[in-house]
């Protein structure tokens, strides 16, 4: 068992690093924070002209498909591909027993040194996972054979001719039953279905038993969260083409550089021989950056091998049903014990979380990072079940927000208190109260602000909390429905992990290029980077261009992992722009015959500070600053090009700062519950996020309202349903499994405040995943407030409401 003792953030500071306070702006904001800025990718996407990976078509290209297992757990006894190989139009067949891949493990690499650990995303199902296996461990798994043919239809028809003799094996779907001593062992030779003890997490802070002794009220409860789908709009695909010993690829994923690294390790191809393109992507939401899953790097490897075998370009594509197996990692059951004083001060929280197939967190971290609760203990256990590999737990927020929301709502109800008051009373960090945050702000140059207080005040006013909140089950509306309201809170996710690099180039005509690869996940980051460069460099936004699709330009911004986008990448482009600005001013100094310090840049024009009428367009400053031979064969001045890199630590704690999370968020919801049908009607959602600094206001708001619909769908409707008798997923389509849309729920009220307390550029913090992770657990408290009956079993479907009311 791994024990994780959580200490002060300051202990994370490394020797020789330095502290940074608020990232004070050194330039006037003209583009940063401006509304109505033309979105860089807006026209191409809105017009339908944007090219996605699935749009790539090459001369002579073949199409590949992979066999799917019809069983939840089975082993191939015999595989006959003879008829498929002879089928007209089939050009290459790759079997699991092919010498190129027989028994070869599908590796996942961290910085090229360490295989992904078993508890990491996609790995929890088997300690070793082969590229193409003869064993199926969930229904729908790609297994046994891959076929490349002239058309996708021919490849699919050929797969029907493959003859397989299967040996069906006992399977388990229920995570709790997987712990039974008589349950079939899913891993050969294992004593149980638990992941090994060293992968079981224990997180502790303080003395929980002492905390319960100090409590005047102790409550216990259990909550469950079922699996929901984790899939983007664009279905997975990859295109591979060989030219001699050089490989060219078009990939749909968040981390193309990592996939390039894995391919190099997997197939022994030098990385400089792999040319990778990452085009527009129809969403990805985390699973496309999973370095070890079948639907990403598994299909990459298969496409490359098939292309080599056929000596033709190959596109491997998955259809909706074939992709319908990636679910969120928050498939869990949680047991809670909470102690508090009668004034609302929480003295202890103990949790035991049971996860299926995936665990990256014990679920207590948000209570550590957000609260003054001194005594915490959480155990997380993961078991194997015959369901697909799970993706990220909504990164770090679920089950964290799930647990925090339920802890605070349950204890507030037990004490008969307003949950917003309990939140404010327990706000803090690592067992310390808000005075620690206030002291940190003063010592590090921040303007003292109480982020949570400001967020709650704005949200309460918008939703009319003081006028409309009431004790559970006490307000019936004129339409006969029961009225309910709920509130939750957390920190805004300020994850700044990772390292990125980018260059800023001022072209010969004065236009500017940002040179860096960066994958598209639909959150409008490129516009924001261009806004930063415009203000930092002093040029017009319309003079800037970025081409993020080619990985081989020499610079790679860190992967677009949700709220990581701005926290690290914003610093990268900011640094590069500042360096290019200094180069430009040094170059202009010769033109003006003045010191560089006497000059400034604004609206793509260099001018003398003391005499603004003395000015010159940037294009005139740089027009002869390219490396070319002049008329007499003498090299001219170098181009205006500079690059920067930036690295920060894991999970929102920049190692160079050691600062705590100080930006908070608050979410409010209002519902009506029909006690005759069990229907939950959402009537109002108010999201308040302290984003530190809104560099692109429309992007901030877009993430809030988009996350609202995602969260409501997961809370009320989205659920993957397996047949307990066969292990088959029953709703493997978007008719039986329905995503929420703006037609299903009302528009949300989205409010952001700017405290400058984040440690992204200009004091910004993340917004990308915050709303979608906060909303799902919030529906439980809202329904409870409406009907006075607890439903801590998510999603909250009508039958669960009626069961809670004793009507079924």
């Amino acid at each position: 068992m791994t024990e994780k003792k959580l200490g002060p953030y300051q202990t994370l500071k490394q020797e020789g690093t330095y502290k940074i306070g608020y990232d004070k702006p050194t330039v006037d904001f003209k583009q940063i924070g401006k509304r109505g800025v033309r979105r860089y990718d807006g026209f191409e996407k809105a017009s339908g002209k944007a090219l996605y990976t699935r749009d790539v078509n090459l001369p002579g290209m073949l199409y590949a498909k992979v066999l799917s297992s019809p069983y939840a757990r089975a082993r191939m006894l015999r595989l006959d591909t003879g008829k498929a190989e002879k089928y007209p139009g089939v050009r290459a067949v790759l079997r699991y027993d092919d010498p190129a891949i027989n028994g070869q493990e599908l590796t996942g690499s961290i910085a090229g040194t360490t295989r992904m650990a078993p508890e990491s995303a996609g790995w929890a199902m088997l300690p070793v996972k082969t590229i193409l296996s003869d064993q199926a461990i969930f229904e729908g798994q790609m297994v046994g054979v891959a076929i490349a043919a002239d058309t996708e239809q021919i490849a699919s028809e050929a797969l029907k001719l493959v003859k397989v003799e299967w040996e069906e094996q006992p399977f388990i779907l229920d995570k709790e039953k997987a712990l039974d001593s008589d349950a079939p062992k899913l891993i050969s030779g294992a004593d149980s279905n638990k992941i090994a003890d060293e992968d079981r997490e224990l997180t502790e802070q303080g003395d929980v038993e002492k905390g319960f002794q100090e409590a005047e009220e102790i409550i216990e409860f259990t909550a469950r969260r079922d699996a929901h789908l984790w899939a983007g709009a664009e279905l997975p695909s990859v295109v591979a083409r060989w030219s001699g010993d050089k490989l060219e690829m078009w990939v749909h994923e968040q981390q193309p550089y990592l996939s390039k690294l894995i391919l190099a390790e997997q197939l022994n191809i030098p990385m400089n021989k792999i040319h990778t393109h990452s085009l527009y992507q129809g969403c990805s939401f985390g699973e496309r950056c999973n370095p070890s899953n079948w639907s990403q790097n598994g299909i990459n490897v298969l496409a490359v091998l098939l292309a080599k075998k056929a000596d033709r370009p190959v596109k491997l594509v998955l259809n909706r049903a074939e992709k319908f197996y990636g679910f969120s990692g928050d498939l869990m059951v949680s047991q809670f014990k909470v102690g508090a004083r009668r004034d609302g001060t929480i003295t202890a929280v103990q949790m035991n979380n049971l996860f299926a197939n995936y665990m990256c967190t014990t679920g207590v971290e948000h209570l550590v990072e957000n609260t003054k609760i001194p005594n915490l203990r959480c155990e997380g256990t993961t078991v194997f079940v015959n369901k697909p590999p799970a993706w990220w737990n909504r990164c770090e927020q679920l089950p964290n927000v799930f647990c925090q929301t339920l802890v605070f709502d349950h204890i507030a109800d037990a004490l008969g208190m307003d949950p917003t008051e309990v939140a404010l009373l327990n706000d803090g960090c690592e067992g310390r109260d808000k005075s620690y945050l206030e002291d940190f702000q003063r010592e590090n140059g921040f303007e003292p602000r109480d982020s949570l207080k400001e967020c709650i005040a704005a949200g309460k006013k918008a939703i009319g909390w003081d006028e409309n909140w009431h004790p559970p089950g006490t307000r019936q509306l004129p339409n006969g429905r029961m009225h309910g309201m709920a509130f939750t809170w957390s920190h805004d996710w300020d994850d700044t992990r990772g390292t990125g690099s980018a260059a800023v180039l001022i072209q010969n005509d004065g236009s500017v290029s940002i040179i860096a690869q960066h994958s598209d996940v639909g959150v409008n980051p490129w516009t924001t980077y261009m806004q930063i460069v415009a203000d930092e460099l002093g040029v017009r936004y319309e003079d800037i261009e970025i081409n993020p699709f080619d990985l081989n330009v020499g610079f790679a911004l860190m992967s677009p992992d949700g709220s990581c986008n701005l926290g690290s990448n914003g610093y990268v482009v900011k640094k590069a722009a500042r360096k290019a600005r200094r180069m430009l001013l040094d170059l202009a100094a010769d033109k003006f015959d003045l010191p560089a310090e006497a000059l400034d840049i604004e609206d793509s024009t260099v001018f003398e500070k003391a005499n603004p009428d003395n000015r010159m367009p940037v294009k005139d400053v740089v027009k002869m600053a390219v490396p070319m031979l002049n008329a007499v064969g003498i090299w001219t001045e170098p181009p205006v090009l500079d690059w920067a890199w930036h690295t920060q630590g894991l999970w929102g704690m920049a190692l160079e700062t050691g600062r705590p999370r100080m930006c908070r968020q608050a979410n409010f919801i209002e519902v009506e519950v029909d006690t005759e049908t069990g229907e939950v009607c959402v009537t109002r959602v108010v999201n308040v996020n302290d984003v530190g600094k809104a560099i692109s206001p429309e992007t901030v708001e877009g993430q809030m309202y988009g996350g609202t619909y995602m969260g409501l769908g997961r809370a009320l409707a989205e659920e993957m349903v397996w047949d307990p008798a066969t292990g088959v997923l029953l709703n493997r389509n978007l008719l039986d499994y329905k995503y929420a849309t703006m037609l299903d729920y009302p528009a949300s009220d989205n409010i952001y405040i700017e405290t400058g307390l984040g440690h992204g550029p200009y004091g910004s913090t993340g917004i990308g995943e915050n709303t979608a992770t906060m909303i799902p657990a919030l529906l439980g408290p809202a329904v409870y407030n409406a009907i006075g009956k607890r439903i801590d079993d998510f999603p909250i479907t009508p039958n669960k409401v009626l069961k809670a009311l004793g009507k079924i």
Side-chain angles (χ1 to χ4, degrees):
M1 178 181 293
T2 301
E3 183 174 324
K4 185 190 299 181
K5 292 286 187 179
L6 296 173
Y9 280 91
Q10 297 294 341
T11 63
L12 292 170
K13 291 169 57 181
Q14 293 183 335
E15 190 70 27
T17 59
Y18 55 97
K19 294 171 73 172
I20 301 176
Y22 172 46
D23 183 25
K24 297 179 175 63
T26 57
V27 295
D28 294 333
F29 290 155
K30 293 190 174 182
Q31 294 296 325
I32 293 172
K34 181 181 177 181
R35 289 184 176 273
V37 176
R38 174 184 59 84
R39 177 165 171 158
Y40 178 80
D41 58 353
F43 173 78
E44 287 188 304
K45 288 184 174 178
S47 65
K49 295 182 178 180
L51 290 178
Y52 295 78
T53 307
R54 290 181 77 94
D55 295 326
V56 174
N57 289 295
L58 303 177
M61 187 176 73
L62 304 175
Y63 293 82
K65 302 291 290 184
V66 188
L67 185 70
S68 296
S69 168
Y71 303 109
R73 185 169 177 238
R75 182 170 66 92
M76 288 182 170
L77 298 178
R78 190 174 68 89
L79 176 67
D80 183 356
T81 57
K83 289 186 178 180
E85 292 173 17
K86 298 175 182 177
Y87 193 70
V90 170
R91 305 300 177 185
V93 175
L94 186 67
R95 296 166 47 113
Y96 76 89
D97 53 4
D98 189 290
I101 59 171
N102 188 18
Q104 187 176 344
E105 181 181 353
L106 177 62
T107 61
S109 180
I110 301 176
T113 58
T114 308
R115 193 181 74 233
M116 292 291 283
E119 74 274 15
S120 295
W123 275 97
M125 281 300 295
L126 282 177
V128 175
K129 188 164 55 180
T130 53
I131 295 173
L132 198 58
S133 180
D134 62 341
Q135 298 185 57
I137 52 178
F138 62 91
E139 183 263 339
Q141 176 188 331
M142 290 183 286
V143 64
V145 60
I147 293 177
D150 291 340
T151 68
E152 187 175 349
Q153 181 177 354
I154 291 175
S156 297
E157 292 295 330
L159 281 177
K160 296 177 183 178
L161 299 177
V162 173
K163 301 298 181 183
V164 182
E165 182 181 344
W166 293 95
E167 177 188 60
E168 294 186 61
Q169 298 172 320
F171 63 87
I172 305 172
L173 297 177
D174 187 279
K175 52 191 171 297
E176 293 175 275
K177 291 182 180 179
L179 292 172
D180 293 345
S181 59
D182 58 348
K185 305 302 181 287
L186 302 184
I187 303 300
S188 178
D191 295 330
S192 75
N193 290 312
K194 294 180 184 179
I195 287 183
D197 283 346
E198 61 265 25
D199 299 315
R200 184 182 181 190
E201 293 285 344
L202 170 64
T203 298
E204 284 190 308
Q205 176 178 279
D207 186 335
V208 171
E209 292 306 318
K210 179 183 177 183
F212 285 125
Q213 293 172 7
E214 296 172 350
E216 297 170 310
E217 182 81 30
I218 296 177
I219 61 171
E220 297 186 55
F221 62 96
T222 299
R224 288 178 170 80
R225 168 77 241 184
D226 288 331
H228 62 74
L229 183 63
W230 198 263
E234 182 186 2
L235 296 169
S237 62
V238 58
V239 179
R241 175 170 65 184
W242 286 92
S243 178
D245 63 347
K246 296 179 180 179
L247 172 64
E248 191 171 13
M249 298 190 68
W250 288 260
V251 296
H252 166 207
E253 54 190 77
Q254 287 184 221
Q255 296 181 344
Y257 191 85
L258 181 56
S259 69
K260 182 175 177 175
L261 173 61
I262 293 172
L263 268 175
E265 294 178 344
Q266 192 80 61
L267 302 177
N268 195 29
I269 307 170
M271 291 183 69
N272 62 356
K273 298 288 188 180
I274 305 174
H275 192 125
T276 307
H277 308 275
S278 178
L279 305 182
Y280 281 115
Q281 300 183 44
C283 308
S284 51
F285 309 140
E287 98 276 14
R288 296 299 297 159
C289 64
N290 180 353
S292 55
N293 70 57
W294 280 288
S295 75
Q296 180 173 316
N297 289 295
I299 68 172
N300 290 356
V301 172
L302 294 178
V304 168
L305 291 173
L306 285 169
K308 174 70 79 172
K309 198 166 190 176
D311 196 24
R312 299 262 296 273
V314 168
K315 177 191 283 188
L316 198 158
V317 293
L318 302 184
N319 62 31
R320 180 64 65 185
E322 291 166 338
K323 180 59 185 72
F324 226 86
Y325 62 70
F327 67 83
S328 168
D330 51 319
L331 178 59
M332 58 184 286
V333 58
S334 304
Q335 296 175 330
F336 298 87
K337 182 178 180 181
V338 186
R341 299 190 182 96
R342 293 193 180 93
D343 66 355
T345 302
I346 300 176
T347 59
V349 176
Q350 180 170 299
M351 291 188 288
N352 288 280
N353 289 330
L354 176 63
F355 301 88
N357 290 1
Y358 173 77
M359 176 183 69
C360 74
T361 174
T362 55
V364 76
E365 282 86 342
H366 279 218
L367 293 176
V368 174
E369 296 159 355
N370 290 331
T371 77
K372 69 175 186 181
I373 302 172
N375 307 298
L376 301 166
R377 178 184 172 89
C378 184
E379 290 188 53
T381 302
T382 304
V383 294
F384 299 118
V385 298
N386 293 107
K387 291 180 180 179
W391 309 145
W392 313 107
N393 287 14
R394 201 56 197 148
C395 289
E396 64 148 344
Q397 296 249 353
L398 275 178
N400 270 298
V401 168
F402 179 84
C403 295
Q404 178 172 323
T405 295
L406 297 182
V407 163
F408 270 82
D409 191 74
H410 274 262
I411 200 66
D413 178 63
L415 297 170
M417 294 182 65
D418 183 328
T420 65
E421 296 176 1
V422 178
L424 290 169
L425 182 64
N426 288 278
D427 189 17
C429 177
E430 291 188 338
R432 295 173 286 184
D433 61 24
K434 288 188 293 185
S435 63
Y436 164 63
L437 301 177
E438 295 165 357
D439 290 343
F440 188 93
Q441 292 171 23
R442 283 191 293 268
E443 293 169 3
N444 290 273
F446 291 88
E447 178 186 349
R449 302 280 290 271
D450 188 332
S451 181
L452 181 59
K453 186 176 181 179
E454 293 184 38
C455 288
I456 288 178
K460 289 176 68 174
K461 180 180 179 181
I463 205 167
W465 180 268
D466 291 337
E467 299 82 10
N468 296 308
W469 183 74
H470 52 78
T474 60
R475 183 180 174 190
Q476 188 172 28
L477 299 170
N479 61 12
R481 295 172 176 170
M482 299 301 292
H483 174 270
M485 298 184 76
F487 150 82
T488 190
W489 68 288
S490 185
H491 58 71
D492 256 351
W493 187 25
D494 53 0
D495 186 0
T496 54
R497 57 195 163 104
T499 300
S501 60
V504 169
L505 167 66
I506 303 178
Q507 303 280 1
N508 201 41
D509 62 354
S511 61
V512 178
S513 297
I514 302 174
I515 304 174
Q517 189 280 328
H518 187 254
S519 293
D520 168 37
V521 292
V523 297
N524 194 31
W526 307 329
T527 304
T528 306
Y529 303 151
M530 292 163 65
Q531 289 174 269
I532 292 173
V533 171
D535 280 355
E536 290 291 342
L537 189 53
V539 300
R540 294 185 296 262
Y541 173 84
E542 55 268 25
D543 289 341
I544 303 173
E545 181 74 10
I546 183 172
N547 180 17
F549 300 121
D550 194 335
L551 181 58
N552 302 279
V553 295
F555 300 94
L557 288 170
M558 68 160 296
S559 65
D561 291 339
S563 296
C564 299
N565 259 310
L566 182 61
S568 289
N569 293 339
Y571 270 128
V572 172
V573 295
K574 177 181 176 181
K575 288 179 176 181
R578 285 186 174 182
K579 293 172 73 174
R581 178 189 181 93
R582 289 194 294 270
M583 290 185 67
L584 178 60
L585 289 174
D586 288 340
L587 185 62
D590 290 338
K591 309 281 186 178
F592 281 81
D593 196 21
L594 290 169
E597 294 76 18
L599 303 175
D600 204 349
I601 313 169
E602 184 179 52
D603 293 331
S604 296
T605 301
V606 181
F607 63 92
E608 182 184 355
K609 294 178 184 177
N611 180 19
D613 290 336
N614 184 17
R615 57 180 51 229
M616 182 184 299
V618 168
K619 64 179 181 180
D620 290 342
V621 176
V622 300
K623 65 181 177 182
M624 291 301 293
V626 293
M628 63 175 67
L629 288 173
N630 65 17
V632 294
I634 305 299
W635 285 100
T636 63
E637 299 166 280
V640 181
L641 168 69
D642 216 328
W643 71 282
W645 68 279
H646 186 77
T647 184
Q648 286 184 289
L650 290 173
W651 310 120
M653 295 170 285
L655 294 179
E656 62 189 72
T657 65
R659 69 176 73 162
R661 301 179 190 265
M662 296 183 288
C663 292
R664 300 290 192 251
Q665 67 181 117
N667 301 78
F668 298 79
I669 197 165
E670 191 170 20
V671 302
E672 297 177 5
V673 179
D674 188 325
T675 56
E676 296 301 318
T677 65
E679 182 183 10
V680 178
C681 301
V682 178
T683 58
R684 191 88 183 274
V685 176
V686 174
N687 305 307
V688 187
N689 287 77
D690 173 9
V691 296
K693 174 62 182 176
I695 296 177
S696 174
E698 289 96 342
T699 301
V700 168
E701 292 164 348
Q703 291 301 299
M704 294 165 82
Y705 69 69
T708 297
Y709 297 124
M710 294 170 69
L712 291 174
R714 291 168 186 161
L716 295 174
E718 293 186 39
E719 181 179 15
M720 301 173 77
V721 180
W722 283 270
D723 179 6
T726 64
V728 171
L729 181 61
L730 299 176
N731 56 340
R732 192 187 291 278
N733 58 72
L734 294 183
L735 292 176
D736 299 318
Y737 183 102
K738 188 177 184 302
Y739 280 119
T741 72
M742 63 180 65
L743 299 178
D744 298 303
Y745 302 110
S748 56
D749 294 329
N750 302 307
I751 303 167
Y752 66 82
I753 62 176
E754 299 174 289
T755 64
L757 296 178
H759 60 276
Y762 319 110
S764 61
T765 191
I767 181 66
E769 308 196 18
N770 297 334
T771 307
T773 57
M774 296 293 288
I775 294 296
L778 186 54
L779 264 295
V783 171
Y784 172 67
N785 186 251
I787 65 175
K789 304 291 184 181
R790 284 283 181 189
I791 306 175
D792 289 334
D793 185 357
F794 298 79
I796 299 178
T797 52
N799 64 309
K800 293 178 183 177
V801 174
L802 294 176
K803 184 177 180 181
L805 292 169
K807 295 190 175 184
I808 59 173

